[in-house]
Amino acid sequence: MVGLPYDCVANPHGAVRLTFEKAVAASQDADSVAALCGKDWGAVDLFRMFLFEEDGLSKVPILNKSSLPWIKPNTLVRFRGMVQDMLGNELYIGAFKDGSTWRTNKFTDVACRPIPSSCQSFLWERRLFVCVPVPGQNSWILDAAPQVVLNSYDKDDASQHGEKRMRDASHDAMELNVLDEMDSSCSKKQREDEHIFQSCQSLVGEAVLQGGMLENRNNLGESSFSCLVKAYDLPESHLKLNDVFEFIGIYTFDPELVHMSSTDDSSFDLMEDVSNQLPPNKVPRLHCLVSRKLAVQDFLSGSLALQPLPNVMSDIRESLLVHLSALLGNDTVAAQFLLLHLLSRVRHTMDVIAVGKLSLNLTGFNRESASVFGNQLNDIIMELFPFSKVIPLSVEYLNNAVLQPRKDNQSGRLVTGVLQLAEGTHLTIDETHLQAGVLNSVGVENARLLKNLMEWQTVQYDFEYYKIEMAADIQMLIFSEGKSNILPADMILPFRPESFVRVKKASTEELQAWRWYLATVKSLHYSNGPQVQQMLEDEIVAAMREDRSLGYKDLERVLIMAQLLSASLGERSVSLEQWQKAKELEKLRKERLR
Amino acid sequence: MADSSPYGASSPDGTSSPIANTNSSPIPSSNGGQRQPGRSGRRYPVAGSPIISSSQGAYRTPLSSSRHQRRQATPSTPATPISSSDAMGLSSDAGDDADAAIDGEDADSTPVFVWGTNISVQDVNAAILRFLRHFRDPQRASDGGSNGGVVMEGKYMRAVHRVLELDGGESLDVDAHDVFDYDPDLYGKMVRYPLEVLAIFDIVLMDLVARIDPLFEKHIQTRIYNLKSSISMRNLNPSDIEKMVSVKGMIIRSSSIIPEVKEAIFRCLICGHFSEPIMVDRGRINEPTRCGRQECLATNSMALVHNRCRFADKQIVKLQETPDEIPEGGTPHTVSILMHDKLVDTGKPGDRVEITGVYRAMSVRVGPTQRTVKSIFKTYIDCLHLKKTDKSRLHLDDPMDSSNNSSGVDIAEDSPEYQDKVDKLKELSKLPDIYDRLTRSLAPNIWELDDVKRGLLCQLFGGNALNLPSGASFRGDINILLVGDPGTSKSQLLQYMHKLSPRGIYTSGRGSSAVGLTAYVTKDPETGETVLESGALVLSDKGVCCIDEFDKMSENARSMLHEVMEQQTVSIAKAGIIASLNARTSVLACANPSGSRYNPRLSVIENIHLPPTLLSRFDLIYLVLDKADEQTDRRLAKHIVALHFQDPENIIQEAMDLPTLTAYISYARKHFNPILSDEAAEDLTSGYVEMRKRGNSPGSSKKVITATARQIESLIRLSEALARMRFSELVEKRDVTEAFRLLEVAMQQSATDHSTGTIDMDLIMTGISASERIRRENLVAAARNLVMDRMQIGGSPTRVVELLEELRKQSSMEIHLHDLKNALATLMSEGMVVLIGDSVKRI
């Protein structure tokens, strides 16, 4: 047999079915089917092979708001997003015996054929996640994402049908080839299935179009797009709330479900599936086959293949520093601190301590300088980080904004808040607009949330009857006039611009290099051997001797700075030189504070 | 209709066991109906098929249907081969007189099996009967014998009688542990096949009741509770379906009460004839198409008569996981619970409950008109029993309440897993180094001196609260104040404590006010610094209240704390009414020294700069000062480096993990109320007298924190807490010694100069105390001589600088100005000189 008997992209269900039949074929008894519960029978491996070894990944279209109307149901899609809510488990008939053959419902919403009223069947479970595009994602990651040709899925309904039919025919022919050994009635049934699917699809087109139009009318932004991911056989710890993931799976759409969403049995509203609030015509379903957690590197465009060699690193570092200091009106000290801040991340958490965070408070701004320098900085941060947000802090904002994610127990959904952010998001808070004023209870709560995020890197989620602290990793930069006591940062640095020059925009190549540089340094794994640790201990003791006023926090800060300085040059361990340099920088900072 | 078959309860025309209410499996019923045809002994008042409307496609145990068919065809032969071993064993047991009677009555000659299982109906029937009749509470069995020789009736027989007497009770609570103790096999069957076994249970109970009181008309339901193991909500999986499970959680929502028709009566609109009651059959009422009266027979004339129908209550409740069961980075799971009849409204949103019930699945219909069934299922739990738990076990409420509730041990605590935990904790408590181990376990990653952590540990354990009959009460909470330079890890420690204590409050003293809820953002006009005035200070009853930046707290907020810290109440005056609320909280506050850095020139009191009245209410006041010895520096450096560079996984510490620590603390607080031993009391008194002497030593100024009566209370509390750490009921000598030591260390008293009230910073900094003392004494002597030589009594004042130069000339050692000032201060306290500005005058 030459060629695949199925098309992984256009007819993934075919592949699933085929592998299932193969797995079951050996023995038709219930036990062997029962053994498949919670396991993969080879379908996922097949897709993995197709995607990663046969370079099928580039053929898989990306599911997003704009592509949604043009992607056909029951095809393979990719979706990148953040896990916004976890809806729990869903039980479904995983396998049932239709006559004498076993069939599976895995990776579909509806049974491909009616399940006989009394038959042997098995209940399996899958997990449901609501995923949204990562909050605060910057436009460059969308450009950088590998472009997939939106296949020749024409907008014209008729031609779509025609094409589809042709495709199906060819598929079936191919399938028949393979299935020769199987009884022909079976494959005939399969062909019937295909027809059922097809008839669904014409409905889909309409429904989706309607949905799309509705949304257009409401003028909802990209943020309103969400996707219900149904994941199979994942260990509990695989996915966490707010993780950024790529899911590759089957996009399904069942027109029957659209009709039902309007019917609500009032007496059973409490039993209602949460997913019913996510109408299928607005929220696509994705039956996940392959999923992986995304790191910042995954958002970089692949063309750049730089080696983390010391000289390359230091060159890029130098150019970034020059750019940053130009943006900061030639304040080189501020630029150095800003770079360290941009490179920081929470390395790990111990009890309540988030180790490695380094928030920066640039003081000395007034409204004018904030609008000039602040905007420039925001622009560059947007270009450097995949996800970033700016909060203009004012009394009105504090009093009205919804920062805290909150569980709505009426609907069973987690209502997102501004602070539900993915790991590694950069958050700039512009405090220059803050005037004295009265806070209401929401304002106090919001201020507390921001402070907690700053100090402990946790965000409290409100579950109505109790609150849960979720760990976060958000880099926070604050612009303020004087030192902010509302948001006590790790480093406070008075900002002293020498001049203001409009800096020309960095070129794409530069930006790419900088992005790569930031991502590489951040993901650098430190390894400080016992000698280095001993050296640092000695240095800390010596520093304390020198200056008794150095407290625990000062020493800790210098240590983090030394670590980041070393990392910024691509070194994995702290050198004495960088420790000295960190101390120098700290001295400069202290001088400015005086 | 009149069905007493073993399957009756789950049959459509059976009784109203909660299981039947949502019944999904009509098979056993039809089965049973055929099995015992014409058994028309009793008529149950409750009837009707209580099937919920959408249970249409309720999930059925697989493999059922084919067997079902066969069984119907040949009803008299058992469908499943007997697995003889256990079944036979049981039935041979059943030779008990009364049981046998019932057995005989019910049984055909062939054993009857629940389809798809090897459960013999007769055996289960007999086993249940035996259990009900003969089970005796092992704990009460002993005193049963002394009861005048009369053999006591079994626990559940008494319960049944009670139900009959009260006439109102319609359910019998059965402790699953009792079932397990009496007959593990029955327990196993009950958990695995709850629908069938509970149906039999109901029938047995019914028979039993009928025997005692044939006139008793009500149906008694069996409510099983306290299963041997409970399952976490997120671990419920398809294999648990149709099994008895017990889950714990918090009710987050409950629906309004839904009346559900059980029995419908129709009336002919033409002739007024009432139909016979029509049972609900699988959620549907078969409306008669024509009038039943022979004379009328009008078609389509029957109308439902609402007020003659019978209804039952139903409610759907959402249960959500409690925070302690949620893994990191997860959101809580929820599950729907179906409540029936009496259980309706027993739990309200916000309650923590433990639900025992049957986990079920129900298929989702695609639309109201479409009968096709989707492949997706909704799951819910049919509630059998609801118990309010209030708190998760080891965070049990009130540890320090003085009311002694040692009487009743909670039933929940009997479970073996709990016992296991307790045993482990007890083992831990026996370790000789438990005190150090606890200290190490407390905030291991936060840098602070061990002695500070020890104090915090005492706070967590707490002393005994005491309520005297006279109305006087003594608090058991220990209040701690940490004073130290900014930039130390005080806040981290506070945050940690806040996380650790179940009802902790974390607040900043800055801008807190006792009155009003308004909060402000203010901006310093000069520096542009922004400050949040956070508004009300919220206190928690029975928790630790952590107050950061205590020194920044406004005066009136602090004054409120006076009352909180001593009386443990808060008074609120509003509209002419003064209300006093409980605020039994321990306060953990931290403050910066008044001049932002600790000033060694000033006395302790001046440095802290808080009203002495408030200070005296803190049991321990820690001065977190920088100690400059090589060893401490080294340890600090090691700590920082380790925190940053070591892989968190690689750190192996001889410490308890957090859950164990909290469990240990809760258990100790709950179960131990140590009292002072005579020896310890003696030590306390003598130690206290010693302390007072020191404070009142001649020449001391008032700036020393002297021992007061409050301090002896503190010492008692501390030593009680220390005894608790060892799970001891007796405060021993060593506890008192340690309490004294803690108090001293906290105040750096060993380093305090009692004559000036200042802390000898040099002593702390260098750690060379003895030689320093000598040096200082020498200096004082030298200064005294100099004054005696140079100055006349009442003569003209001399400048201090002059004296200093003079002294430097005389002696070889280096003398600082402040050394001399100290020396002069000593002379002043001796009454030899007076200091006037920069000058000294002899008197």
mmCIF file of all heavy atoms in Angstrom, chain A residues 91 93 236 241 256 260 270 409-410 431 434 437 439 466 485 538 545 553, chain B residues 234 253 316 318 321 329 366 370 375 377 487 519 521 523 530 630 634:
data_model
loop_
_atom_site.group_PDB
_atom_site.id
_atom_site.type_symbol
_atom_site.label_atom_id
_atom_site.label_comp_id
_atom_site.label_asym_id
_atom_site.label_seq_id
_atom_site.Cartn_x
_atom_site.Cartn_y
_atom_site.Cartn_z
ATOM 1 N N LEU A 91 -18.322 13.011 31.046
ATOM 2 C CA LEU A 91 -18.380 11.583 30.745
ATOM 3 C C LEU A 91 -19.080 11.385 29.414
ATOM 4 O O LEU A 91 -20.027 12.080 29.097
ATOM 5 C CB LEU A 91 -19.172 10.838 31.831
ATOM 6 C CG LEU A 91 -18.626 10.866 33.252
ATOM 7 C CD1 LEU A 91 -19.361 9.860 34.109
ATOM 8 C CD2 LEU A 91 -17.154 10.586 33.284
ATOM 9 N N ILE A 93 -19.914 8.210 26.212
ATOM 10 C CA ILE A 93 -19.795 6.808 25.850
ATOM 11 C C ILE A 93 -18.576 6.685 24.966
ATOM 12 O O ILE A 93 -18.570 7.146 23.824
ATOM 13 C CB ILE A 93 -21.058 6.307 25.130
ATOM 14 C CG1 ILE A 93 -22.224 6.361 26.113
ATOM 15 C CG2 ILE A 93 -20.847 4.895 24.606
ATOM 16 C CD1 ILE A 93 -23.499 5.775 25.582
ATOM 17 N N GLU A 236 -3.386 14.926 35.609
ATOM 18 C CA GLU A 236 -3.952 16.095 36.282
ATOM 19 C C GLU A 236 -3.005 17.300 36.249
ATOM 20 O O GLU A 236 -3.409 18.427 36.062
ATOM 21 C CB GLU A 236 -4.245 15.715 37.739
ATOM 22 C CG GLU A 236 -4.756 16.824 38.598
ATOM 23 C CD GLU A 236 -6.273 16.918 38.581
ATOM 24 O OE1 GLU A 236 -6.918 15.875 38.692
ATOM 25 O OE2 GLU A 236 -6.773 18.034 38.456
ATOM 26 N N LEU A 241 -3.997 26.296 35.362
ATOM 27 C CA LEU A 241 -4.712 27.500 34.987
ATOM 28 C C LEU A 241 -3.687 28.538 34.526
ATOM 29 O O LEU A 241 -2.615 28.667 35.110
ATOM 30 C CB LEU A 241 -5.494 28.022 36.192
ATOM 31 C CG LEU A 241 -6.622 28.986 35.873
ATOM 32 C CD1 LEU A 241 -7.734 28.272 35.152
ATOM 33 C CD2 LEU A 241 -7.151 29.611 37.132
ATOM 34 N N GLU A 256 -26.830 20.301 15.571
ATOM 35 C CA GLU A 256 -27.913 19.961 16.497
ATOM 36 C C GLU A 256 -27.748 20.694 17.816
ATOM 37 O O GLU A 256 -28.693 21.096 18.459
ATOM 38 C CB GLU A 256 -27.907 18.454 16.770
ATOM 39 C CG GLU A 256 -28.700 17.657 15.771
ATOM 40 C CD GLU A 256 -28.782 16.217 16.223
ATOM 41 O OE1 GLU A 256 -27.809 15.476 16.019
ATOM 42 O OE2 GLU A 256 -29.808 15.858 16.798
ATOM 43 N N MET A 260 -30.142 23.326 20.372
ATOM 44 C CA MET A 260 -30.544 22.980 21.734
ATOM 45 C C MET A 260 -30.152 24.034 22.740
ATOM 46 O O MET A 260 -30.723 24.130 23.799
ATOM 47 C CB MET A 260 -29.957 21.634 22.106
ATOM 48 C CG MET A 260 -28.703 21.748 22.931
ATOM 49 S SD MET A 260 -28.105 20.166 23.421
ATOM 50 C CE MET A 260 -28.193 20.319 25.164
ATOM 51 N N LEU A 270 -29.587 23.807 37.227
ATOM 52 C CA LEU A 270 -28.389 23.542 38.023
ATOM 53 C C LEU A 270 -27.617 22.339 37.519
ATOM 54 O O LEU A 270 -26.450 22.169 37.793
ATOM 55 C CB LEU A 270 -28.776 23.317 39.481
ATOM 56 C CG LEU A 270 -28.816 24.577 40.320
ATOM 57 C CD1 LEU A 270 -29.486 24.295 41.631
ATOM 58 C CD2 LEU A 270 -27.418 25.101 40.552
ATOM 59 N N ASN A 409 -20.736 31.591 40.459
ATOM 60 C CA ASN A 409 -21.336 30.305 40.777
ATOM 61 C C ASN A 409 -22.696 30.115 40.130
ATOM 62 O O ASN A 409 -23.224 29.013 40.100
ATOM 63 C CB ASN A 409 -21.425 30.115 42.295
ATOM 64 C CG ASN A 409 -20.083 29.735 42.875
ATOM 65 O OD1 ASN A 409 -19.306 29.034 42.226
ATOM 66 N ND2 ASN A 409 -19.803 30.182 44.071
ATOM 67 N N GLN A 410 -23.281 31.201 39.656
ATOM 68 C CA GLN A 410 -24.544 31.037 38.945
ATOM 69 C C GLN A 410 -24.318 30.336 37.617
ATOM 70 O O GLN A 410 -25.046 29.440 37.238
ATOM 71 C CB GLN A 410 -25.189 32.407 38.684
ATOM 72 C CG GLN A 410 -25.659 33.130 39.936
ATOM 73 C CD GLN A 410 -26.746 32.377 40.665
ATOM 74 O OE1 GLN A 410 -27.704 31.923 40.069
ATOM 75 N NE2 GLN A 410 -26.601 32.223 41.972
ATOM 76 N N GLU A 431 1.736 55.306 37.301
ATOM 77 C CA GLU A 431 1.097 55.890 38.479
ATOM 78 C C GLU A 431 1.045 57.414 38.404
ATOM 79 O O GLU A 431 0.583 58.070 39.325
ATOM 80 C CB GLU A 431 1.875 55.462 39.728
ATOM 81 C CG GLU A 431 0.989 55.110 40.894
ATOM 82 C CD GLU A 431 1.803 54.868 42.148
ATOM 83 O OE1 GLU A 431 2.496 55.790 42.591
ATOM 84 O OE2 GLU A 431 1.752 53.746 42.660
ATOM 85 N N LEU A 434 -2.171 59.181 38.963
ATOM 86 C CA LEU A 434 -2.879 58.965 40.221
ATOM 87 C C LEU A 434 -2.943 60.261 41.026
ATOM 88 O O LEU A 434 -1.928 60.860 41.345
ATOM 89 C CB LEU A 434 -2.164 57.874 41.024
ATOM 90 C CG LEU A 434 -2.879 57.381 42.265
ATOM 91 C CD1 LEU A 434 -4.151 56.648 41.880
ATOM 92 C CD2 LEU A 434 -1.987 56.461 43.067
ATOM 93 N N GLY A 437 -7.538 60.878 46.270
ATOM 94 C CA GLY A 437 -8.972 60.683 46.118
ATOM 95 C C GLY A 437 -9.490 59.591 47.026
ATOM 96 O O GLY A 437 -8.711 58.917 47.698
ATOM 97 N N LEU A 439 -11.182 56.072 47.835
ATOM 98 C CA LEU A 439 -11.343 54.744 47.244
ATOM 99 C C LEU A 439 -12.579 54.085 47.816
ATOM 100 O O LEU A 439 -12.868 54.219 49.009
ATOM 101 C CB LEU A 439 -10.138 53.867 47.584
ATOM 102 C CG LEU A 439 -8.806 54.159 46.907
ATOM 103 C CD1 LEU A 439 -7.800 53.114 47.332
ATOM 104 C CD2 LEU A 439 -8.958 54.141 45.401
ATOM 105 N N TYR A 466 -14.755 31.216 49.277
ATOM 106 C CA TYR A 466 -13.365 31.237 49.731
ATOM 107 C C TYR A 466 -12.512 31.798 48.609
ATOM 108 O O TYR A 466 -12.977 31.981 47.489
ATOM 109 C CB TYR A 466 -12.885 29.837 50.115
ATOM 110 C CG TYR A 466 -13.158 28.753 49.113
ATOM 111 C CD1 TYR A 466 -12.304 28.563 48.034
ATOM 112 C CD2 TYR A 466 -14.269 27.929 49.223
ATOM 113 C CE1 TYR A 466 -12.552 27.573 47.118
ATOM 114 C CE2 TYR A 466 -14.528 26.931 48.309
ATOM 115 C CZ TYR A 466 -13.665 26.757 47.255
ATOM 116 O OH TYR A 466 -13.903 25.780 46.329
ATOM 117 N N ASN A 485 4.207 54.072 47.471
ATOM 118 C CA ASN A 485 4.016 53.258 48.670
ATOM 119 C C ASN A 485 2.851 52.301 48.505
ATOM 120 O O ASN A 485 2.628 51.431 49.326
ATOM 121 C CB ASN A 485 3.788 54.139 49.881
ATOM 122 C CG ASN A 485 5.060 54.848 50.280
ATOM 123 O OD1 ASN A 485 6.133 54.248 50.280
ATOM 124 N ND2 ASN A 485 4.960 56.129 50.571
ATOM 125 N N ASP A 538 31.118 34.362 50.958
ATOM 126 C CA ASP A 538 32.210 35.190 51.472
ATOM 127 C C ASP A 538 31.983 36.652 51.125
ATOM 128 O O ASP A 538 32.176 37.541 51.957
ATOM 129 C CB ASP A 538 33.551 34.727 50.886
ATOM 130 C CG ASP A 538 33.924 33.337 51.368
ATOM 131 O OD1 ASP A 538 33.329 32.911 52.380
ATOM 132 O OD2 ASP A 538 34.765 32.683 50.727
ATOM 133 N N ARG A 545 30.292 43.366 56.488
ATOM 134 C CA ARG A 545 31.331 43.972 57.317
ATOM 135 C C ARG A 545 31.540 45.428 56.924
ATOM 136 O O ARG A 545 31.670 46.308 57.762
ATOM 137 C CB ARG A 545 32.653 43.235 57.096
ATOM 138 C CG ARG A 545 32.721 41.911 57.754
ATOM 139 C CD ARG A 545 33.351 42.063 59.140
ATOM 140 N NE ARG A 545 33.194 40.816 59.872
ATOM 141 C CZ ARG A 545 33.937 39.750 59.621
ATOM 142 N NH1 ARG A 545 34.881 39.778 58.720
ATOM 143 N NH2 ARG A 545 33.732 38.641 60.309
ATOM 144 N N LYS A 553 17.302 42.409 52.714
ATOM 145 C CA LYS A 553 16.727 42.648 51.387
ATOM 146 C C LYS A 553 17.739 43.252 50.429
ATOM 147 O O LYS A 553 17.738 42.952 49.243
ATOM 148 C CB LYS A 553 15.514 43.567 51.501
ATOM 149 C CG LYS A 553 14.310 42.814 51.984
ATOM 150 C CD LYS A 553 13.026 43.510 51.655
ATOM 151 C CE LYS A 553 11.868 42.635 52.046
ATOM 152 N NZ LYS A 553 10.704 43.408 52.472
ATOM 153 N N ARG B 234 -12.583 15.473 42.460
ATOM 154 C CA ARG B 234 -11.933 15.386 41.170
ATOM 155 C C ARG B 234 -11.525 13.962 40.829
ATOM 156 O O ARG B 234 -11.111 13.691 39.722
ATOM 157 C CB ARG B 234 -10.759 16.356 41.070
ATOM 158 C CG ARG B 234 -9.645 16.137 42.059
ATOM 159 C CD ARG B 234 -8.585 17.210 41.855
ATOM 160 N NE ARG B 234 -9.161 18.537 42.015
ATOM 161 C CZ ARG B 234 -9.018 19.505 41.118
ATOM 162 N NH1 ARG B 234 -8.356 19.306 40.028
ATOM 163 N NH2 ARG B 234 -9.545 20.678 41.357
ATOM 164 N N ARG B 253 -24.444 26.554 45.666
ATOM 165 C CA ARG B 253 -25.710 27.002 45.097
ATOM 166 C C ARG B 253 -26.759 25.960 45.390
ATOM 167 O O ARG B 253 -26.479 24.773 45.369
ATOM 168 C CB ARG B 253 -25.582 27.080 43.575
ATOM 169 C CG ARG B 253 -25.576 28.451 43.000
ATOM 170 C CD ARG B 253 -25.487 28.336 41.505
ATOM 171 N NE ARG B 253 -26.776 28.588 40.891
ATOM 172 C CZ ARG B 253 -27.048 28.326 39.627
ATOM 173 N NH1 ARG B 253 -26.129 27.771 38.864
ATOM 174 N NH2 ARG B 253 -28.221 28.595 39.126
ATOM 175 N N ILE B 316 -31.929 20.598 43.707
ATOM 176 C CA ILE B 316 -30.605 20.323 43.156
ATOM 177 C C ILE B 316 -29.616 21.286 43.785
ATOM 178 O O ILE B 316 -29.863 22.479 43.878
ATOM 179 C CB ILE B 316 -30.594 20.484 41.627
ATOM 180 C CG1 ILE B 316 -31.600 19.514 41.018
ATOM 181 C CG2 ILE B 316 -29.217 20.213 41.070
ATOM 182 C CD1 ILE B 316 -32.057 19.902 39.662
ATOM 183 N N LYS B 318 -25.449 22.399 44.203
ATOM 184 C CA LYS B 318 -24.104 22.298 43.619
ATOM 185 C C LYS B 318 -23.081 22.239 44.738
ATOM 186 O O LYS B 318 -23.090 23.082 45.645
ATOM 187 C CB LYS B 318 -23.803 23.528 42.755
ATOM 188 C CG LYS B 318 -24.392 23.431 41.391
ATOM 189 C CD LYS B 318 -23.374 22.915 40.393
ATOM 190 C CE LYS B 318 -23.972 22.967 38.994
ATOM 191 N NZ LYS B 318 -23.246 22.128 38.073
ATOM 192 N N GLU B 321 -15.527 21.787 45.517
ATOM 193 C CA GLU B 321 -14.380 21.362 46.318
ATOM 194 C C GLU B 321 -13.950 22.475 47.273
ATOM 195 O O GLU B 321 -14.014 23.638 46.937
ATOM 196 C CB GLU B 321 -13.195 21.067 45.403
ATOM 197 C CG GLU B 321 -13.188 19.699 44.816
ATOM 198 C CD GLU B 321 -11.973 19.497 43.944
ATOM 199 O OE1 GLU B 321 -11.650 20.407 43.167
ATOM 200 O OE2 GLU B 321 -11.361 18.442 44.040
ATOM 201 N N GLY B 329 -2.587 25.402 40.935
ATOM 202 C CA GLY B 329 -2.857 25.738 39.546
ATOM 203 C C GLY B 329 -4.127 25.133 39.001
ATOM 204 O O GLY B 329 -4.305 25.055 37.803
ATOM 205 N N VAL B 366 -30.657 15.674 23.328
ATOM 206 C CA VAL B 366 -30.240 16.759 22.454
ATOM 207 C C VAL B 366 -31.263 17.877 22.427
ATOM 208 O O VAL B 366 -30.950 19.041 22.540
ATOM 209 C CB VAL B 366 -29.969 16.214 21.042
ATOM 210 C CG1 VAL B 366 -29.796 17.357 20.069
ATOM 211 C CG2 VAL B 366 -28.732 15.353 21.073
ATOM 212 N N GLN B 370 -36.327 15.799 20.285
ATOM 213 C CA GLN B 370 -35.550 14.699 19.745
ATOM 214 C C GLN B 370 -35.308 13.641 20.803
ATOM 215 O O GLN B 370 -34.909 13.937 21.918
ATOM 216 C CB GLN B 370 -34.217 15.214 19.233
ATOM 217 C CG GLN B 370 -34.359 15.815 17.869
ATOM 218 C CD GLN B 370 -33.204 16.721 17.598
ATOM 219 O OE1 GLN B 370 -33.005 17.688 18.311
ATOM 220 N NE2 GLN B 370 -32.451 16.405 16.583
ATOM 221 N N SER B 375 -23.952 11.340 23.162
ATOM 222 C CA SER B 375 -23.046 10.411 23.829
ATOM 223 C C SER B 375 -22.515 10.982 25.134
ATOM 224 O O SER B 375 -21.751 10.357 25.823
ATOM 225 C CB SER B 375 -21.884 10.095 22.900
ATOM 226 O OG SER B 375 -21.148 11.264 22.670
ATOM 227 N N PHE B 377 -22.732 12.513 28.999
ATOM 228 C CA PHE B 377 -23.520 12.285 30.194
ATOM 229 C C PHE B 377 -23.347 13.406 31.186
ATOM 230 O O PHE B 377 -22.282 13.986 31.311
ATOM 231 C CB PHE B 377 -23.081 10.987 30.856
ATOM 232 C CG PHE B 377 -23.610 9.783 30.156
ATOM 233 C CD1 PHE B 377 -23.001 9.305 29.020
ATOM 234 C CD2 PHE B 377 -24.740 9.165 30.626
ATOM 235 C CE1 PHE B 377 -23.506 8.215 28.349
ATOM 236 C CE2 PHE B 377 -25.254 8.073 29.966
ATOM 237 C CZ PHE B 377 -24.638 7.592 28.833
ATOM 238 N N GLY B 487 13.983 46.488 55.819
ATOM 239 C CA GLY B 487 14.834 45.682 54.944
ATOM 240 C C GLY B 487 15.138 44.323 55.517
ATOM 241 O O GLY B 487 15.779 43.508 54.886
ATOM 242 N N ALA B 519 -11.448 54.918 52.414
ATOM 243 C CA ALA B 519 -10.033 54.767 52.165
ATOM 244 C C ALA B 519 -9.624 55.861 51.203
ATOM 245 O O ALA B 519 -10.403 56.290 50.362
ATOM 246 C CB ALA B 519 -9.771 53.410 51.551
ATOM 247 N N VAL B 521 -6.445 57.645 48.701
ATOM 248 C CA VAL B 521 -5.102 57.697 48.156
ATOM 249 C C VAL B 521 -4.607 59.103 48.445
ATOM 250 O O VAL B 521 -5.292 60.073 48.150
ATOM 251 C CB VAL B 521 -5.115 57.470 46.637
ATOM 252 C CG1 VAL B 521 -3.750 57.772 46.064
ATOM 253 C CG2 VAL B 521 -5.506 56.051 46.322
ATOM 254 N N LYS B 523 -1.246 61.887 48.392
ATOM 255 C CA LYS B 523 0.027 62.120 47.713
ATOM 256 C C LYS B 523 0.789 63.155 48.492
ATOM 257 O O LYS B 523 0.248 64.209 48.836
ATOM 258 C CB LYS B 523 -0.268 62.628 46.288
ATOM 259 C CG LYS B 523 0.759 62.173 45.287
ATOM 260 C CD LYS B 523 0.226 62.371 43.890
ATOM 261 C CE LYS B 523 1.206 61.814 42.873
ATOM 262 N NZ LYS B 523 0.741 61.959 41.522
ATOM 263 N N THR B 530 3.131 58.348 46.873
ATOM 264 C CA THR B 530 1.722 58.032 47.051
ATOM 265 C C THR B 530 1.555 57.076 48.220
ATOM 266 O O THR B 530 2.378 56.196 48.442
ATOM 267 C CB THR B 530 1.147 57.360 45.802
ATOM 268 O OG1 THR B 530 2.064 56.362 45.388
ATOM 269 C CG2 THR B 530 0.922 58.356 44.704
ATOM 270 N N GLU B 630 30.532 36.901 63.336
ATOM 271 C CA GLU B 630 30.916 36.163 62.151
ATOM 272 C C GLU B 630 29.912 35.045 61.834
ATOM 273 O O GLU B 630 29.471 34.863 60.709
ATOM 274 C CB GLU B 630 32.311 35.581 62.398
ATOM 275 C CG GLU B 630 32.785 34.577 61.373
ATOM 276 C CD GLU B 630 33.327 35.261 60.129
ATOM 277 O OE1 GLU B 630 33.753 36.425 60.251
ATOM 278 O OE2 GLU B 630 33.318 34.631 59.071
ATOM 279 N N ARG B 634 27.581 34.653 58.520
ATOM 280 C CA ARG B 634 27.826 33.491 57.678
ATOM 281 C C ARG B 634 26.499 32.765 57.425
ATOM 282 O O ARG B 634 26.183 32.372 56.313
ATOM 283 C CB ARG B 634 28.840 32.619 58.421
ATOM 284 C CG ARG B 634 29.343 31.366 57.774
ATOM 285 C CD ARG B 634 30.062 31.517 56.480
ATOM 286 N NE ARG B 634 31.230 32.364 56.427
ATOM 287 C CZ ARG B 634 31.862 32.625 55.274
ATOM 288 N NH1 ARG B 634 31.436 32.103 54.133
ATOM 289 N NH2 ARG B 634 32.903 33.414 55.269
#
